[in-house]
Amino acid sequence: MEQTQLILTIALIIIELVAFAWLIIDIRKSKKKQDIILELEKQILNMEESIMDLEQNIIQQIKELREILDKKL
């Protein structure tokens, strides 16, 4: 009886250690994925900023062209 309890206790400890190790590994993988997602979001924001700058330039050029056309007419 005591041997059975000892074996079950050891088995339970091993199972808990494996579960804890798996949890740590999973957390590390999640952290890496989160870092990748954050980096991609930064790249997207930079690209959106570039697009907005280009749009501003286009708007400015359209205004200048319109002024030129208005002067000629």
Side-chain angles (χ1 to χ4, degrees):
M1 177 85 172
E2 287 181 23
Q3 238 181 354
T4 305
Q5 281 183 329
L6 181 62
I7 291 171
L8 289 174
T9 303
I10 291 172
L12 183 60
I13 290 172
I14 291 171
I15 291 170
E16 287 178 355
L17 287 174
V18 169
F20 190 67
W22 176 78
L23 182 62
I24 290 172
I25 291 169
D26 192 48
I27 288 172
R28 285 186 179 175
K29 286 181 184 177
S30 295
K31 175 69 173 139
K32 287 180 184 177
K33 288 179 183 177
Q34 184 182 22
D35 290 343
I36 290 170
I37 289 170
L38 288 174
E39 182 60 35
L40 289 173
E41 286 179 350
K42 286 180 185 177
Q43 290 177 7
I44 289 170
L45 286 173
N46 287 337
M47 188 169 289
E48 287 176 347
E49 186 176 332
S50 295
I51 290 170
M52 289 178 68
D53 288 342
L54 287 171
E55 288 174 342
Q56 284 295 95
N57 287 338
I58 291 170
I59 290 170
Q60 183 63 34
Q61 288 178 357
I62 290 172
K63 284 181 181 178
E64 290 173 4
L65 285 173
R66 189 168 185 182
E67 287 176 5
I68 292 172
L69 286 173
D70 286 344
K71 286 181 182 178
K72 287 188 176 184
L73 295 176

